[in-house]
Amino acid sequence: MSGHASYEFKNPVVRWIEERLPIFSTIRAQAVDFPTPRNLNYWWTFGGIAATMLVVQILTGIVLVMHYTPHVSMAFDSVEHIMRDVNYGWLLRWLHANGASFFFIAVYIHIFRGLYYGSYKAPREVLWMIGVLIFIAMMATAFMGYVLPWGQMSYWGAVVITNLFSAFPIIGETIVQWLWGGFSVGNPTLQRFFSLHYLLPFVLAALVFLHIWALHVVGNNNPDGIDVKSEEDTLPFHPYYTMKDLYAILVFFLVYLGFVFYSPWYLGHSINFAPANPLSTPAHIVPEWYFLPQYAMLRAIPDKLGGVLVMFSSLIILLFLPWLDTSKVRSNRYRPLGKIFFWLFVITCLTLGIAGSQPAEGAWLTVARIATAFYFAYFLVILPLLGKIERPKPMPASITEAVLSRH
Amino acid sequence: MMKKILKMLATAALGLGLLAGPAMASGGAQKNAPDHDYSFEGPFGTFDRAQLQRGWEVFRQVCSSCHSLKYLRFRNLAEPGGPEFTIEQAKAFAAEYEVQDGPNDEGEMFTRPARLSDAFPSPYPNEQAAKAANNGALPPDLSLIVKAREGWYYPWYISPFIKLVKGNGGAEYVRALISGYEEPPHGEEKEGLNYNPYFPGHWIAMPPPLAGEDVEYLDGTPNTVEQEATDVAAFLAWVSMPKMEERKKIGFMALLYLLVFALLMFMVKHAIWSNVKH
């Protein structure tokens, strides 16, 4: 993030620091003057919202750790201690538990926005790929965080997910024992999950820094998907987008805090208020809502190893998206067919989510299989072909022209 | 207004749920607990102090002979947002129980009357003793029972909406379970088990805990099975969520603050963007 403009600073202390580390000019260039397309809509606010949620998670998490005990015989008790005895402990715990859900809501909207407007296409491939890594890292973080309260679903979720690795031939069993730190999910498992759950958010923060760095090299995409051509296509980031993002963050927080204060365990599982019991398996083992589509794909495949490979492929395939989509047009605003298939893809993902919450049998299993097939077909067949056969609508010459034609 | 809309939504949701009823009646599905209008429901609901005090009597005179309540401390009984007994009353309740303490200066464990800071003592020294005394079935700790159980089971397309408006129905489940024992259908019998349509699988080890007139209510409320069940479920709801009243109160202020802040920010944003076509 090197500052391209040269700024004159009057304050001698600022000047002295600036000559040794150009931090003030960098902030000025990247956070204040940064030229941003003038036509961004509210879907573009979810990046800032997601970053805010990461900060909320780290801050509440650091304080929760001051009162939590990562031990199989004390973890559940220590969470109840937080809920009952720690000043505002209940608030911290519900901010953190619901914060994970709302972090995912923001990130899922952010990802689908990128898909609709073609934000992954050149020259933003690296920006997109770092985003996919962020998504995978936050899934790992969220999974391990859900294990920490050591309730029934925490424990059985950990058992099911770690057991997936046993599907790999020859080395499977060894991997699983290595993950567990023993021969079953137990205290070593809980303690390493705790350690990694504390470490990974800082890895996430570093990845987010790289994500923003890459963004500031190539600049924002925009709803019309056309390149910035002149200065009149852009506005300075501050105050235009700082104030718009802040407004959007506040509206998002109204919903988030609505859940925190009035339905704090709505998004969780009741059974997780019962302490972990290795001798009693819950009737339905279901992951948190944000993993349901992947869970549906895992169970859609009759073969265990196949299911595991399909589930991980559903994430890895996103890394190749910039080269799978052959259309030269970024935004689906100008892609009549692309738009239709995008919405079919959204419906597919929602359907997978519902199928993941149901027992994998009967009609739901068939639905999950069809949806899984369409999920992969979208990336491997539809997007590569669509670019060849689709006739995009005429594009405006510039962002400014696009904006003015709509007024 | 808000409450009216929520009520309407709930009614509509229930209507749809009832339409789907026959689809789920097949198989040994759990019976939905009857809804009960508890005072602590809704965004402004608070606990009924008298009801919590009655529920406490039911718990300690009936339930506590088999069930522990390990996250409840006697001091909680006198804290705001709960039954709000006086400190003297809470101390007197505590003093009725003996707890183990020690070791003392001679290295001996000893028992003493419980204090405000002590947790409600378990009726059994350990899990094995609890199982041995109950035909091999473990009476669960009830500290979180209302949050850990659900009262209604609707199809996937309606359940999320019902739960958003009416909650998980944990208190209704407890109330229905302990007052809803029935004669088993077709005269079926199972050794050491009792028939209860609200219990998953319908056969429960716990015999009917309430017979009516189990406790004497000092406030003159009739001590029927249904009333006792309603009261003790409310009490257990408070033990499950002792900070509920504080949570709703702070939530109201926080959301009001955010709403005003958001409106101001909307005006700021609007003013800044008013001279730009976008």
Side-chain angles (χ1 to χ4, degrees), chain A residues 12 29 33 44 95 115 120 129 137 142 151 161 184-185 192 232-233 235-236 259 265 267 275 278 330 397 403 407:
Chain A
D33 294 343
W44 257 263
L95 281 172
L115 285 174
Y120 47 83
M129 289 162 83
I161 300 301
S184 63
V185 172
R192 64 191 52 196
E232 68 168 353
D233 285 349
L235 294 166
F259 274 89
W265 52 91
L267 295 164
R330 290 199 193 102
V403 167
H407 275 270

Side-chain angles (χ1 to χ4, degrees), chain A residues 9 25 154 158 294 312:
Chain A
F9 295 99
S25 59
S154 299
Q294 292 82 8
F312 285 121

Side-chain angles (χ1 to χ4, degrees), chain A residues 102-117:
Chain A
F102 279 82
F103 192 4
F104 271 97
I105 290 174
V107 163
Y108 274 129
I109 295 174
H110 188 61
I111 292 172
F112 280 107
R113 188 270 289 159
L115 285 174
Y116 185 84
Y117 294 109

Side-chain angles (χ1 to χ4, degrees), chain A residues 157-326:
Chain A
V159 169
V160 170
I161 300 301
T162 50
N163 257 316
L164 292 182
F165 292 90
S166 71
F168 291 104
I170 307 165
I171 48 165
E173 284 300 319
T174 318
I175 295 178
V176 173
Q177 284 174 15
W178 178 73
L179 286 173
W180 285 341
F183 299 102
S184 63
V185 172
N187 200 50
T189 324
L190 176 61
Q191 295 205 328
R192 64 191 52 196
F193 278 19
F194 176 60
S195 169
L196 294 173
H197 184 71
Y198 205 102
L199 169 71
L200 280 180
F202 297 98
V203 174
L204 266 176
L207 285 170
V208 168
F209 179 79
L210 291 177
H211 194 60
I212 295 172
W213 186 359
L215 168 72
H216 280 238
V217 172
V218 294
N220 288 82
N221 182 34
N222 62 81
D224 287 297
I226 41 184
D227 289 327
V228 169
K229 301 229 166 59
S230 65
E231 207 177 313
E232 68 168 353
D233 285 349
T234 67
L235 294 166
F237 186 68
H238 178 77
Y240 290 96
Y241 286 105
T242 47
M243 295 301 113
K244 185 181 179 180
D245 282 0
L246 182 54
Y247 166 58
I249 289 167
L250 290 172
V251 173
F252 188 82
F253 263 57
L254 270 170
V255 184
Y256 164 42
L257 294 186
F259 274 89
V260 167
F261 287 111
Y262 292 104
S263 289
W265 52 91
Y266 177 76
L267 295 164
H269 303 109
S270 299
I271 194 67
N272 220 31
F273 289 112
N277 182 356
L279 299 177
S280 145
T281 318
H284 298 294
I285 302 175
V286 189
E288 289 286 84
W289 70 265
Y290 37 79
F291 293 141
L292 290 175
Q294 292 82 8
Y295 193 55
M297 288 194 251
L298 168 77
R299 298 185 306 171
I301 311 301
D303 176 64
K304 189 176 175 186
L305 179 60
V308 173
L309 292 176
V310 161
M311 184 182 72
F312 285 121
S313 305
S314 74
L315 301 171
I316 302 298
I317 201 169
L318 295 171
L319 289 171
F320 299 96
L321 176 59
W323 298 276
L324 289 170
D325 185 349
T326 51

Side-chain angles (χ1 to χ4, degrees), chain A residues 38 76-77 80 84-85 88 90 240-241 243 247 250 257 261-262 265-266 270 273 358 364 403 407, chain B residues 43 71 75 147-148 150 156 160 164 168 239 243 246-248 251-252 258 262 265 272-273 277-278:
Chain A
R38 61 193 283 183
F76 193 89
D77 286 350
E80 278 311 308
R84 289 159 195 270
D85 301 330
Y88 301 105
W90 56 269
Y240 290 96
Y241 286 105
M243 295 301 113
Y247 166 58
L250 290 172
L257 294 186
F261 287 111
Y262 292 104
W265 52 91
Y266 177 76
S270 299
F273 289 112
Q358 303 296 315
W364 280 114
V403 167
H407 275 270
Chain B
Y71 296 123
R75 66 176 158 81
K147 268 155 75 174
E150 299 191 6
W156 63 272
L164 190 59
N168 289 347
V239 180
K243 307 289 182 181
E246 187 187 13
R247 167 161 61 77
K248 288 177 180 174
F252 180 73
L258 262 182
M265 277 316 300
I272 290 173
W273 282 79
K277 285 201 168 73
H278 55 279

Side-chain angles (χ1 to χ4, degrees), chain B residues 134-180:
Chain B
N134 289 283
N135 258 331
L138 177 70
D141 182 81
L142 296 183
S143 306
L144 284 161
I145 203 75
V146 167
K147 268 155 75 174
R149 297 290 184 275
E150 299 191 6
W152 18 78
Y153 295 82
Y154 290 102
W156 63 272
Y157 49 85
I158 200 68
S159 173
F161 304 102
I162 292 182
K163 284 183 181 173
L164 190 59
V165 178
K166 287 151 58 85
N168 289 347
E172 278 87 350
Y173 169 81
V174 172
R175 173 177 178 269
L177 183 86
I178 56 180
S179 61

